[in-house]
Amino acid sequence: MLDSYDAVVVGSGFGGAVAACRLAQAGLAVGVLERGRRYARGGFPRDWHDPLNGWVWQHGQGLFDVRPVNEVTVVQGAAYGGGSHLYANVHLRVPSDGFRTGWPAGYSRAALDPYYDLVAYMLDITPIREDQPLGLPPKTRLMREAADRLGRSAQFCYPNLAVSFKEPRQEHLNKFGVAQEGCRHCGECDIGCNYRAKNTLDLNYLAVAEQRGADVGTQCEVLRLDYDGDSYEIRYRDHVARQDRRVRAPAVFLCAGAVNSTELLLRCRDQYRSLPAVSNRLGHGYSANGDFLAFAMDTESPFEPWDGPTITTGIVYDRGAGEDRKWFIFQEGGFPREIAGLVQALGHRGGQAMDSARVWEDVAREIRELAEKRIASEGVVAADADSAVFLVMGRDRADGRVELMPVTHDLRVTWDVPGNLPLYDTEERFCADVAEALGGRLTLNPLWQRLRLPVAVHNLGGATMADDPAHGVVDGGGEVFGYPGLHVLDGAALPAATGVNPSHTIAAVAERNIEAAIRKLTSDPTWRAPERELATPVTDPVSALVIPTGGTAPPSSPAVGLRFTETMRGYVTRGTPAVGRLPRRRGRGPPCRYRGAVHVDHRHLVPRRLPHLRAAPGRGRGNGVRRGIHRPRRRRRQQRCVPPLQPRRRPGRPPDAVLAAVLRRRRPALPSRRVQGRTRPRHVRRLARHLHAVHGHPRGPPTRRRRARHRRSPHSRA
Ligand SMILES: Cc1cc2nc3c(=O)[nH]c(=O)nc-3n(C[C@H](O)[C@H](O)[C@H](O)COP(=O)(O)OP(=O)(O)OC[C@H]3O[C@@H](n4cnc5c(N)ncnc54)[C@H](O)[C@@H]3O)c2cc1C
Ligand code: SF4
């Protein structure tokens, strides 16, 4: 890499590849910094026995960047070509009504269609069809039949896929002169296609960029951006040379993926203070795109999820109006034959009642042990053909927040699970319908089933587009407010959930915005991508579907279980008031709202963390309050805790009564100050003391002393 360029692109996913390609085509000197590796043909990891051998970014810079950030598990790609190496190839457009709210001026489906067409041309997208060399795989036929059985054939479609369906095992050159093969229907799309049948970004956009002279540095991780009023200095770590380096450019295109771009900007604004004027809206507007993962076990006919590209079909659900509207698309998934044992292990365990409050580390360990046993007993090729994966994504509220913890600067993502629960519930019931239509039974993703932690592969938002800095971080062209030349062109800039798989929209928005940026950089108001002339209008299968008046039919599977949701309103006090005493004066500190939800499903109880404590609009957050919410890390510390918040006295049940009732079922023992050599946090001890006083010790009836303590407890006065 050189010391300076006309433009530097950070990341090489859907935003980065588009930016690099177009900047190079415009004749600018472009440097691309990508933290991941460049994978050669046949070079993707395939060690089925060692999950650390090349798979995970956190261990030896592998392909998958999996980050369990408190309220959501974020999955992103780390490779030259970004998420295109592990995505399921689906390219769909946001329907017209999806642009009505949240998007800045100038965005509509009609305005974006020419750029969608351009992306479709570059990635050569097409749906799976009967007349292709390998025809339709069994799972595709079964999904068609299931949609018919459910009366949803009018909402069934074959999505466009960025896959080459030419003759398998035969090499051909693509539009850009890069050698590819036809799809072998091996089902390994989500772990890197070793046959180059996926039209991944390194085979088209990035190939053109390099052909036009772009300078690419892989395994180069950007750590910090500084602005001197004229140009940007980018500090990055070269993982190959094991050195920290710097490069300068007047234009920077940040395309590190929604969570990573937001994190980098947050660190620059709050930790290094090198970009201090970035909007206060940074981190707001995060969306998990309604992602929901489930499995169906014991399907009537062999589903053979490893036969065919990972996703081949979709069924749209659209019902309700206003706030109550639910819009999502259901897609069948697939997985390689070799991990069928692991999926079956999920199914075997997922159906059983289990201790409700296992932390996610336990879940992961248990799955690993079960999978190992199964692999050991039956061998890796003992695949069960009758299991299916269900993937659902939809329009969620996009009201999550990516932020850095004070002092430690650890990343955390706050995700409004209770607020999005109606969508997740409908998605779950829809999955149950499909499982039944396939003659199987539904098994949920264990992290969701036990902890209500969604797994998000379609992360969006965090540095969203808006018309002014009071509502977003970048303008409608992707340029950061207050920092000329600094652009965000990836999923972070999208201001609302796309509902459908988002890559097509990320790339189309990047095409639109890089065109405007290049016109500015080159002072050529007529510049446009050379391929615009070649791109022809493409039909989007989702937009062509018929939604009946009044919406699609509701799911027939009943909503099973009980949910308690309570909202406390109060105010924040700093420090920890003594147990049994109310603060002397009311109204101290900013007012806040605290919403908690406890879900009890038909299989077992899931007490959930109480994650949402918000200061009133315009007021700051009290750190003391937020410290009270935490994820217990050990089994012995599983009590869910009420934070040190003093609620206003209200008639009725104590504010934590529902939670307490749930915890009482688990019969928490009187805590000792020291557990496994560690002192319990004070608020855990206080809550347990309170519960003990209220409900008595599980080993004996309430004593006079306990009753007296109960009377002194602030909660007893409600
Ligand atoms: C299993 C799976 C299946 C999916 N299937 C689909 C699908 O079928 N259709 C669809 O539309 N979407 C799908 N997605 C989502 C899709 O992959 C993402 O929405 C998309 O890749 C996001 O594009 P992006 O440009 O925002 O970021 P990315 O594609 O994630 O690219 C970001 C790049 O930046 C790099 N980077 C990050 N930090 C740094 C740094 N500090 N310095 C340098 N480089 C950095 C990363 O390594 C990465 O290469 C799937 C995702 C997963 C995980
Ligand atoms: S099914 Fe196999 S060959 Fe086809 S695109 Fe996916 S990984 Fe490549």
mmCIF file with all atom_site columns, all heavy atoms in Angstrom, residues 13-15 34-35 78-79 82-83 86-88 90 222 256 260 490-491 501 503, ligand 1:
data_model
loop_
_atom_site.group_PDB
_atom_site.id
_atom_site.type_symbol
_atom_site.label_atom_id
_atom_site.label_alt_id
_atom_site.label_comp_id
_atom_site.label_asym_id
_atom_site.label_entity_id
_atom_site.label_seq_id
_atom_site.pdbx_PDB_ins_code
_atom_site.Cartn_x
_atom_site.Cartn_y
_atom_site.Cartn_z
_atom_site.occupancy
_atom_site.B_iso_or_equiv
_atom_site.pdbx_formal_charge
_atom_site.auth_seq_id
_atom_site.auth_comp_id
_atom_site.auth_asym_id
_atom_site.auth_atom_id
_atom_site.pdbx_PDB_model_num
ATOM   1   N N   . GLY A 1 13  ? -17.099 -5.348  1.340  1.00 0.00 ? 13  GLY A N   1
ATOM   2   C CA  . GLY A 1 13  ? -18.398 -6.027  1.206  1.00 0.00 ? 13  GLY A CA  1
ATOM   3   C C   . GLY A 1 13  ? -19.217 -5.343  0.124  1.00 0.00 ? 13  GLY A C   1
ATOM   4   O O   . GLY A 1 13  ? -18.665 -4.756  -0.821 1.00 0.00 ? 13  GLY A O   1
ATOM   5   N N   . PHE A 1 14  ? -20.538 -5.356  0.293  1.00 0.00 ? 14  PHE A N   1
ATOM   6   C CA  . PHE A 1 14  ? -21.398 -4.838  -0.773 1.00 0.00 ? 14  PHE A CA  1
ATOM   7   C C   . PHE A 1 14  ? -21.218 -3.335  -0.998 1.00 0.00 ? 14  PHE A C   1
ATOM   8   O O   . PHE A 1 14  ? -21.228 -2.871  -2.135 1.00 0.00 ? 14  PHE A O   1
ATOM   9   C CB  . PHE A 1 14  ? -22.862 -5.199  -0.488 1.00 0.00 ? 14  PHE A CB  1
ATOM   10  C CG  . PHE A 1 14  ? -23.094 -6.653  -0.736 1.00 0.00 ? 14  PHE A CG  1
ATOM   11  C CD1 . PHE A 1 14  ? -22.915 -7.589  0.262  1.00 0.00 ? 14  PHE A CD1 1
ATOM   12  C CD2 . PHE A 1 14  ? -23.428 -7.104  -2.002 1.00 0.00 ? 14  PHE A CD2 1
ATOM   13  C CE1 . PHE A 1 14  ? -23.073 -8.943  0.017  1.00 0.00 ? 14  PHE A CE1 1
ATOM   14  C CE2 . PHE A 1 14  ? -23.590 -8.453  -2.260 1.00 0.00 ? 14  PHE A CE2 1
ATOM   15  C CZ  . PHE A 1 14  ? -23.411 -9.373  -1.247 1.00 0.00 ? 14  PHE A CZ  1
ATOM   16  N N   . GLY A 1 15  ? -21.017 -2.580  0.098  1.00 0.00 ? 15  GLY A N   1
ATOM   17  C CA  . GLY A 1 15  ? -20.766 -1.151  -0.074 1.00 0.00 ? 15  GLY A CA  1
ATOM   18  C C   . GLY A 1 15  ? -19.367 -0.916  -0.609 1.00 0.00 ? 15  GLY A C   1
ATOM   19  O O   . GLY A 1 15  ? -19.163 -0.148  -1.569 1.00 0.00 ? 15  GLY A O   1
ATOM   20  N N   . GLU A 1 34  ? -8.882  -4.049  3.680  1.00 0.00 ? 34  GLU A N   1
ATOM   21  C CA  . GLU A 1 34  ? -9.827  -5.094  4.081  1.00 0.00 ? 34  GLU A CA  1
ATOM   22  C C   . GLU A 1 34  ? -9.139  -5.930  5.163  1.00 0.00 ? 34  GLU A C   1
ATOM   23  O O   . GLU A 1 34  ? -8.029  -6.412  4.980  1.00 0.00 ? 34  GLU A O   1
ATOM   24  C CB  . GLU A 1 34  ? -10.203 -5.956  2.870  1.00 0.00 ? 34  GLU A CB  1
ATOM   25  C CG  . GLU A 1 34  ? -10.868 -7.281  3.185  1.00 0.00 ? 34  GLU A CG  1
ATOM   26  C CD  . GLU A 1 34  ? -12.138 -7.177  4.017  1.00 0.00 ? 34  GLU A CD  1
ATOM   27  O OE1 . GLU A 1 34  ? -13.036 -6.410  3.646  1.00 0.00 ? 34  GLU A OE1 1
ATOM   28  O OE2 . GLU A 1 34  ? -12.200 -7.862  5.077  1.00 0.00 ? 34  GLU A OE2 1
ATOM   29  N N   . ARG A 1 35  ? -9.864  -6.122  6.281  1.00 0.00 ? 35  ARG A N   1
ATOM   30  C CA  . ARG A 1 35  ? -9.239  -6.867  7.392  1.00 0.00 ? 35  ARG A CA  1
ATOM   31  C C   . ARG A 1 35  ? -9.152  -8.368  7.110  1.00 0.00 ? 35  ARG A C   1
ATOM   32  O O   . ARG A 1 35  ? -8.302  -9.072  7.657  1.00 0.00 ? 35  ARG A O   1
ATOM   33  C CB  . ARG A 1 35  ? -10.024 -6.644  8.681  1.00 0.00 ? 35  ARG A CB  1
ATOM   34  C CG  . ARG A 1 35  ? -11.380 -7.276  8.625  1.00 0.00 ? 35  ARG A CG  1
ATOM   35  C CD  . ARG A 1 35  ? -12.146 -7.248  9.907  1.00 0.00 ? 35  ARG A CD  1
ATOM   36  N NE  . ARG A 1 35  ? -13.489 -7.748  9.634  1.00 0.00 ? 35  ARG A NE  1
ATOM   37  C CZ  . ARG A 1 35  ? -14.372 -8.038  10.556 1.00 0.00 ? 35  ARG A CZ  1
ATOM   38  N NH1 . ARG A 1 35  ? -14.087 -7.872  11.818 1.00 0.00 ? 35  ARG A NH1 1
ATOM   39  N NH2 . ARG A 1 35  ? -15.561 -8.496  10.219 1.00 0.00 ? 35  ARG A NH2 1
ATOM   40  N N   . ALA A 1 78  ? -15.782 -11.797 7.257  1.00 0.00 ? 78  ALA A N   1
ATOM   41  C CA  . ALA A 1 78  ? -14.470 -11.147 7.300  1.00 0.00 ? 78  ALA A CA  1
ATOM   42  C C   . ALA A 1 78  ? -13.633 -11.777 6.189  1.00 0.00 ? 78  ALA A C   1
ATOM   43  O O   . ALA A 1 78  ? -12.996 -12.811 6.387  1.00 0.00 ? 78  ALA A O   1
ATOM   44  C CB  . ALA A 1 78  ? -13.813 -11.351 8.657  1.00 0.00 ? 78  ALA A CB  1
ATOM   45  N N   . ALA A 1 79  ? -13.678 -11.163 5.026  1.00 0.00 ? 79  ALA A N   1
ATOM   46  C CA  . ALA A 1 79  ? -12.967 -11.714 3.868  1.00 0.00 ? 79  ALA A CA  1
ATOM   47  C C   . ALA A 1 79  ? -12.916 -10.661 2.777  1.00 0.00 ? 79  ALA A C   1
ATOM   48  O O   . ALA A 1 79  ? -13.683 -9.695  2.815  1.00 0.00 ? 79  ALA A O   1
ATOM   49  C CB  . ALA A 1 79  ? -13.696 -12.949 3.342  1.00 0.00 ? 79  ALA A CB  1
ATOM   50  N N   . GLY A 1 82  ? -16.181 -9.483  1.608  1.00 0.00 ? 82  GLY A N   1
ATOM   51  C CA  . GLY A 1 82  ? -17.109 -9.288  2.730  1.00 0.00 ? 82  GLY A CA  1
ATOM   52  C C   . GLY A 1 82  ? -18.139 -10.384 2.876  1.00 0.00 ? 82  GLY A C   1
ATOM   53  O O   . GLY A 1 82  ? -17.854 -11.573 2.680  1.00 0.00 ? 82  GLY A O   1
ATOM   54  N N   . GLY A 1 83  ? -19.367 -9.961  3.179  1.00 0.00 ? 83  GLY A N   1
ATOM   55  C CA  . GLY A 1 83  ? -20.440 -10.910 3.446  1.00 0.00 ? 83  GLY A CA  1
ATOM   56  C C   . GLY A 1 83  ? -20.838 -11.738 2.236  1.00 0.00 ? 83  GLY A C   1
ATOM   57  O O   . GLY A 1 83  ? -21.549 -12.723 2.372  1.00 0.00 ? 83  GLY A O   1
ATOM   58  N N   . LEU A 1 86  ? -20.291 -15.502 2.596  1.00 0.00 ? 86  LEU A N   1
ATOM   59  C CA  . LEU A 1 86  ? -21.079 -16.381 3.463  1.00 0.00 ? 86  LEU A CA  1
ATOM   60  C C   . LEU A 1 86  ? -22.562 -16.050 3.415  1.00 0.00 ? 86  LEU A C   1
ATOM   61  O O   . LEU A 1 86  ? -23.333 -16.545 4.226  1.00 0.00 ? 86  LEU A O   1
ATOM   62  C CB  . LEU A 1 86  ? -20.549 -16.378 4.903  1.00 0.00 ? 86  LEU A CB  1
ATOM   63  C CG  . LEU A 1 86  ? -20.131 -15.060 5.526  1.00 0.00 ? 86  LEU A CG  1
ATOM   64  C CD1 . LEU A 1 86  ? -21.271 -14.494 6.281  1.00 0.00 ? 86  LEU A CD1 1
ATOM   65  C CD2 . LEU A 1 86  ? -18.933 -15.285 6.403  1.00 0.00 ? 86  LEU A CD2 1
ATOM   66  N N   . TYR A 1 87  ? -22.950 -15.231 2.453  1.00 0.00 ? 87  TYR A N   1
ATOM   67  C CA  . TYR A 1 87  ? -24.392 -14.981 2.368  1.00 0.00 ? 87  TYR A CA  1
ATOM   68  C C   . TYR A 1 87  ? -25.037 -16.050 1.494  1.00 0.00 ? 87  TYR A C   1
ATOM   69  O O   . TYR A 1 87  ? -24.362 -16.861 0.863  1.00 0.00 ? 87  TYR A O   1
ATOM   70  C CB  . TYR A 1 87  ? -24.681 -13.547 1.901  1.00 0.00 ? 87  TYR A CB  1
ATOM   71  C CG  . TYR A 1 87  ? -24.669 -13.250 0.428  1.00 0.00 ? 87  TYR A CG  1
ATOM   72  C CD1 . TYR A 1 87  ? -25.520 -12.279 -0.095 1.00 0.00 ? 87  TYR A CD1 1
ATOM   73  C CD2 . TYR A 1 87  ? -23.821 -13.888 -0.450 1.00 0.00 ? 87  TYR A CD2 1
ATOM   74  C CE1 . TYR A 1 87  ? -25.521 -11.973 -1.441 1.00 0.00 ? 87  TYR A CE1 1
ATOM   75  C CE2 . TYR A 1 87  ? -23.823 -13.579 -1.805 1.00 0.00 ? 87  TYR A CE2 1
ATOM   76  C CZ  . TYR A 1 87  ? -24.675 -12.630 -2.287 1.00 0.00 ? 87  TYR A CZ  1
ATOM   77  O OH  . TYR A 1 87  ? -24.675 -12.336 -3.614 1.00 0.00 ? 87  TYR A OH  1
ATOM   78  N N   . ALA A 1 88  ? -26.376 -16.021 1.497  1.00 0.00 ? 88  ALA A N   1
ATOM   79  C CA  . ALA A 1 88  ? -27.111 -17.088 0.812  1.00 0.00 ? 88  ALA A CA  1
ATOM   80  C C   . ALA A 1 88  ? -27.534 -16.655 -0.594 1.00 0.00 ? 88  ALA A C   1
ATOM   81  O O   . ALA A 1 88  ? -28.478 -17.198 -1.151 1.00 0.00 ? 88  ALA A O   1
ATOM   82  C CB  . ALA A 1 88  ? -28.318 -17.503 1.642  1.00 0.00 ? 88  ALA A CB  1
ATOM   83  N N   . VAL A 1 90  ? -29.177 -14.321 -1.945 1.00 0.00 ? 90  VAL A N   1
ATOM   84  C CA  . VAL A 1 90  ? -30.504 -13.804 -2.278 1.00 0.00 ? 90  VAL A CA  1
ATOM   85  C C   . VAL A 1 90  ? -30.445 -12.301 -2.551 1.00 0.00 ? 90  VAL A C   1
ATOM   86  O O   . VAL A 1 90  ? -29.887 -11.541 -1.762 1.00 0.00 ? 90  VAL A O   1
ATOM   87  C CB  . VAL A 1 90  ? -31.506 -14.073 -1.131 1.00 0.00 ? 90  VAL A CB  1
ATOM   88  C CG1 . VAL A 1 90  ? -32.865 -13.462 -1.443 1.00 0.00 ? 90  VAL A CG1 1
ATOM   89  C CG2 . VAL A 1 90  ? -31.637 -15.563 -0.906 1.00 0.00 ? 90  VAL A CG2 1
ATOM   90  N N   . VAL A 1 222 ? -8.514  -1.471  9.798  1.00 0.00 ? 222 VAL A N   1
ATOM   91  C CA  . VAL A 1 222 ? -8.492  -0.033  10.125 1.00 0.00 ? 222 VAL A CA  1
ATOM   92  C C   . VAL A 1 222 ? -8.883  0.160   11.593 1.00 0.00 ? 222 VAL A C   1
ATOM   93  O O   . VAL A 1 222 ? -9.856  -0.426  12.078 1.00 0.00 ? 222 VAL A O   1
ATOM   94  C CB  . VAL A 1 222 ? -9.450  0.734   9.184  1.00 0.00 ? 222 VAL A CB  1
ATOM   95  C CG1 . VAL A 1 222 ? -9.578  2.185   9.614  1.00 0.00 ? 222 VAL A CG1 1
ATOM   96  C CG2 . VAL A 1 222 ? -8.937  0.641   7.762  1.00 0.00 ? 222 VAL A CG2 1
ATOM   97  N N   . ALA A 1 256 ? -17.303 -0.940  6.389  1.00 0.00 ? 256 ALA A N   1
ATOM   98  C CA  . ALA A 1 256 ? -16.851 -2.081  7.189  1.00 0.00 ? 256 ALA A CA  1
ATOM   99  C C   . ALA A 1 256 ? -17.999 -2.916  7.721  1.00 0.00 ? 256 ALA A C   1
ATOM   100 O O   . ALA A 1 256 ? -17.798 -3.777  8.569  1.00 0.00 ? 256 ALA A O   1
ATOM   101 C CB  . ALA A 1 256 ? -15.985 -1.572  8.340  1.00 0.00 ? 256 ALA A CB  1
ATOM   102 N N   . ASN A 1 260 ? -19.500 -2.764  12.443 1.00 0.00 ? 260 ASN A N   1
ATOM   103 C CA  . ASN A 1 260 ? -18.089 -2.353  12.483 1.00 0.00 ? 260 ASN A CA  1
ATOM   104 C C   . ASN A 1 260 ? -17.894 -0.895  12.102 1.00 0.00 ? 260 ASN A C   1
ATOM   105 O O   . ASN A 1 260 ? -17.072 -0.205  12.711 1.00 0.00 ? 260 ASN A O   1
ATOM   106 C CB  . ASN A 1 260 ? -17.259 -3.245  11.560 1.00 0.00 ? 260 ASN A CB  1
ATOM   107 C CG  . ASN A 1 260 ? -17.087 -4.618  12.155 1.00 0.00 ? 260 ASN A CG  1
ATOM   108 O OD1 . ASN A 1 260 ? -17.632 -4.909  13.200 1.00 0.00 ? 260 ASN A OD1 1
ATOM   109 N ND2 . ASN A 1 260 ? -16.334 -5.461  11.493 1.00 0.00 ? 260 ASN A ND2 1
ATOM   110 N N   . ASP A 1 490 ? -22.188 1.507   3.540  1.00 0.00 ? 490 ASP A N   1
ATOM   111 C CA  . ASP A 1 490 ? -22.560 0.098   3.748  1.00 0.00 ? 490 ASP A CA  1
ATOM   112 C C   . ASP A 1 490 ? -23.904 0.003   4.462  1.00 0.00 ? 490 ASP A C   1
ATOM   113 O O   . ASP A 1 490 ? -24.655 0.981   4.515  1.00 0.00 ? 490 ASP A O   1
ATOM   114 C CB  . ASP A 1 490 ? -21.457 -0.626  4.528  1.00 0.00 ? 490 ASP A CB  1
ATOM   115 C CG  . ASP A 1 490 ? -21.184 0.056   5.860  1.00 0.00 ? 490 ASP A CG  1
ATOM   116 O OD1 . ASP A 1 490 ? -22.003 0.907   6.253  1.00 0.00 ? 490 ASP A OD1 1
ATOM   117 O OD2 . ASP A 1 490 ? -20.163 -0.254  6.483  1.00 0.00 ? 490 ASP A OD2 1
ATOM   118 N N   . GLY A 1 491 ? -24.157 -1.155  5.057  1.00 0.00 ? 491 GLY A N   1
ATOM   119 C CA  . GLY A 1 491 ? -25.438 -1.368  5.730  1.00 0.00 ? 491 GLY A CA  1
ATOM   120 C C   . GLY A 1 491 ? -25.689 -0.387  6.867  1.00 0.00 ? 491 GLY A C   1
ATOM   121 O O   . GLY A 1 491 ? -26.845 -0.165  7.242  1.00 0.00 ? 491 GLY A O   1
ATOM   122 N N   . ASN A 1 501 ? -33.897 -9.580  2.339  1.00 0.00 ? 501 ASN A N   1
ATOM   123 C CA  . ASN A 1 501 ? -32.441 -9.682  2.486  1.00 0.00 ? 501 ASN A CA  1
ATOM   124 C C   . ASN A 1 501 ? -31.817 -8.379  1.974  1.00 0.00 ? 501 ASN A C   1
ATOM   125 O O   . ASN A 1 501 ? -32.157 -7.921  0.877  1.00 0.00 ? 501 ASN A O   1
ATOM   126 C CB  . ASN A 1 501 ? -31.908 -10.860 1.669  1.00 0.00 ? 501 ASN A CB  1
ATOM   127 C CG  . ASN A 1 501 ? -32.835 -12.061 1.737  1.00 0.00 ? 501 ASN A CG  1
ATOM   128 O OD1 . ASN A 1 501 ? -34.014 -11.952 1.441  1.00 0.00 ? 501 ASN A OD1 1
ATOM   129 N ND2 . ASN A 1 501 ? -32.304 -13.176 2.134  1.00 0.00 ? 501 ASN A ND2 1
ATOM   130 N N   . SER A 1 503 ? -28.669 -7.103  1.026  1.00 0.00 ? 503 SER A N   1
ATOM   131 C CA  . SER A 1 503 ? -27.461 -6.821  0.245  1.00 0.00 ? 503 SER A CA  1
ATOM   132 C C   . SER A 1 503 ? -27.763 -6.078  -1.058 1.00 0.00 ? 503 SER A C   1
ATOM   133 O O   . SER A 1 503 ? -27.003 -5.200  -1.473 1.00 0.00 ? 503 SER A O   1
ATOM   134 C CB  . SER A 1 503 ? -26.734 -8.120  -0.104 1.00 0.00 ? 503 SER A CB  1
ATOM   135 O OG  . SER A 1 503 ? -26.414 -8.787  1.063  1.00 0.00 ? 503 SER A OG  1
HETATM 136 C C1  . LIG B 2 .   ? -24.898 -16.529 6.987  1.00 0.00 ? 1   LIG B C1  1
HETATM 137 C C2  . LIG B 2 .   ? -25.356 -15.287 6.305  1.00 0.00 ? 1   LIG B C2  1
HETATM 138 C C3  . LIG B 2 .   ? -26.235 -15.351 5.241  1.00 0.00 ? 1   LIG B C3  1
HETATM 139 C C4  . LIG B 2 .   ? -26.667 -14.185 4.598  1.00 0.00 ? 1   LIG B C4  1
HETATM 140 N N1  . LIG B 2 .   ? -27.486 -14.279 3.513  1.00 0.00 ? 1   LIG B N1  1
HETATM 141 C C5  . LIG B 2 .   ? -27.859 -13.156 2.866  1.00 0.00 ? 1   LIG B C5  1
HETATM 142 C C6  . LIG B 2 .   ? -28.611 -13.214 1.669  1.00 0.00 ? 1   LIG B C6  1
HETATM 143 O O1  . LIG B 2 .   ? -28.928 -14.287 1.169  1.00 0.00 ? 1   LIG B O1  1
HETATM 144 N N2  . LIG B 2 .   ? -28.947 -12.056 1.074  1.00 0.00 ? 1   LIG B N2  1
HETATM 145 C C7  . LIG B 2 .   ? -28.610 -10.847 1.583  1.00 0.00 ? 1   LIG B C7  1
HETATM 146 O O2  . LIG B 2 .   ? -28.987 -9.831  1.014  1.00 0.00 ? 1   LIG B O2  1
HETATM 147 N N3  . LIG B 2 .   ? -27.875 -10.762 2.688  1.00 0.00 ? 1   LIG B N3  1
HETATM 148 C C8  . LIG B 2 .   ? -27.474 -11.872 3.327  1.00 0.00 ? 1   LIG B C8  1
HETATM 149 N N4  . LIG B 2 .   ? -26.685 -11.786 4.444  1.00 0.00 ? 1   LIG B N4  1
HETATM 150 C C9  . LIG B 2 .   ? -26.337 -10.462 4.953  1.00 0.00 ? 1   LIG B C9  1
HETATM 151 C C10 . LIG B 2 .   ? -25.240 -9.837  4.102  1.00 0.00 ? 1   LIG B C10 1
HETATM 152 O O3  . LIG B 2 .   ? -24.104 -10.662 4.118  1.00 0.00 ? 1   LIG B O3  1
HETATM 153 C C11 . LIG B 2 .   ? -24.908 -8.470  4.663  1.00 0.00 ? 1   LIG B C11 1
HETATM 154 O O4  . LIG B 2 .   ? -26.100 -7.722  4.769  1.00 0.00 ? 1   LIG B O4  1
HETATM 155 C C12 . LIG B 2 .   ? -23.966 -7.728  3.763  1.00 0.00 ? 1   LIG B C12 1
HETATM 156 O O5  . LIG B 2 .   ? -22.799 -8.470  3.564  1.00 0.00 ? 1   LIG B O5  1
HETATM 157 C C13 . LIG B 2 .   ? -23.619 -6.387  4.362  1.00 0.00 ? 1   LIG B C13 1
HETATM 158 O O6  . LIG B 2 .   ? -22.853 -5.667  3.453  1.00 0.00 ? 1   LIG B O6  1
HETATM 159 P P1  . LIG B 2 .   ? -21.912 -4.507  3.955  1.00 0.00 ? 1   LIG B P1  1
HETATM 160 O O7  . LIG B 2 .   ? -21.265 -3.905  2.787  1.00 0.00 ? 1   LIG B O7  1
HETATM 161 O O8  . LIG B 2 .   ? -22.692 -3.626  4.850  1.00 0.00 ? 1   LIG B O8  1
HETATM 162 O O9  . LIG B 2 .   ? -20.833 -5.209  4.890  1.00 0.00 ? 1   LIG B O9  1
HETATM 163 P P2  . LIG B 2 .   ? -20.027 -6.564  4.727  1.00 0.00 ? 1   LIG B P2  1
HETATM 164 O O10 . LIG B 2 .   ? -20.440 -7.326  3.536  1.00 0.00 ? 1   LIG B O10 1
HETATM 165 O O11 . LIG B 2 .   ? -20.099 -7.251  6.042  1.00 0.00 ? 1   LIG B O11 1
HETATM 166 O O12 . LIG B 2 .   ? -18.548 -6.052  4.479  1.00 0.00 ? 1   LIG B O12 1
HETATM 167 C C14 . LIG B 2 .   ? -17.806 -5.417  5.455  1.00 0.00 ? 1   LIG B C14 1
HETATM 168 C C15 . LIG B 2 .   ? -16.345 -5.723  5.181  1.00 0.00 ? 1   LIG B C15 1
HETATM 169 O O13 . LIG B 2 .   ? -15.560 -4.846  5.956  1.00 0.00 ? 1   LIG B O13 1
HETATM 170 C C16 . LIG B 2 .   ? -14.513 -5.573  6.542  1.00 0.00 ? 1   LIG B C16 1
HETATM 171 N N5  . LIG B 2 .   ? -14.118 -4.859  7.757  1.00 0.00 ? 1   LIG B N5  1
HETATM 172 C C17 . LIG B 2 .   ? -14.787 -4.797  8.921  1.00 0.00 ? 1   LIG B C17 1
HETATM 173 N N6  . LIG B 2 .   ? -14.125 -4.040  9.801  1.00 0.00 ? 1   LIG B N6  1
HETATM 174 C C18 . LIG B 2 .   ? -13.002 -3.615  9.174  1.00 0.00 ? 1   LIG B C18 1
HETATM 175 C C19 . LIG B 2 .   ? -11.915 -2.817  9.567  1.00 0.00 ? 1   LIG B C19 1
HETATM 176 N N7  . LIG B 2 .   ? -11.853 -2.275  10.785 1.00 0.00 ? 1   LIG B N7  1
HETATM 177 N N8  . LIG B 2 .   ? -10.918 -2.603  8.686  1.00 0.00 ? 1   LIG B N8  1
HETATM 178 C C20 . LIG B 2 .   ? -10.963 -3.131  7.441  1.00 0.00 ? 1   LIG B C20 1
HETATM 179 N N9  . LIG B 2 .   ? -11.975 -3.909  7.024  1.00 0.00 ? 1   LIG B N9  1
HETATM 180 C C21 . LIG B 2 .   ? -12.994 -4.138  7.877  1.00 0.00 ? 1   LIG B C21 1
HETATM 181 C C22 . LIG B 2 .   ? -15.105 -6.934  6.809  1.00 0.00 ? 1   LIG B C22 1
HETATM 182 O O14 . LIG B 2 .   ? -14.092 -7.909  6.906  1.00 0.00 ? 1   LIG B O14 1
HETATM 183 C C23 . LIG B 2 .   ? -15.971 -7.132  5.581  1.00 0.00 ? 1   LIG B C23 1
HETATM 184 O O15 . LIG B 2 .   ? -15.255 -7.728  4.549  1.00 0.00 ? 1   LIG B O15 1
HETATM 185 C C24 . LIG B 2 .   ? -26.229 -12.933 5.074  1.00 0.00 ? 1   LIG B C24 1
HETATM 186 C C25 . LIG B 2 .   ? -25.338 -12.864 6.146  1.00 0.00 ? 1   LIG B C25 1
HETATM 187 C C26 . LIG B 2 .   ? -24.891 -14.020 6.751  1.00 0.00 ? 1   LIG B C26 1
HETATM 188 C C27 . LIG B 2 .   ? -23.934 -13.903 7.899  1.00 0.00 ? 1   LIG B C27 1
#
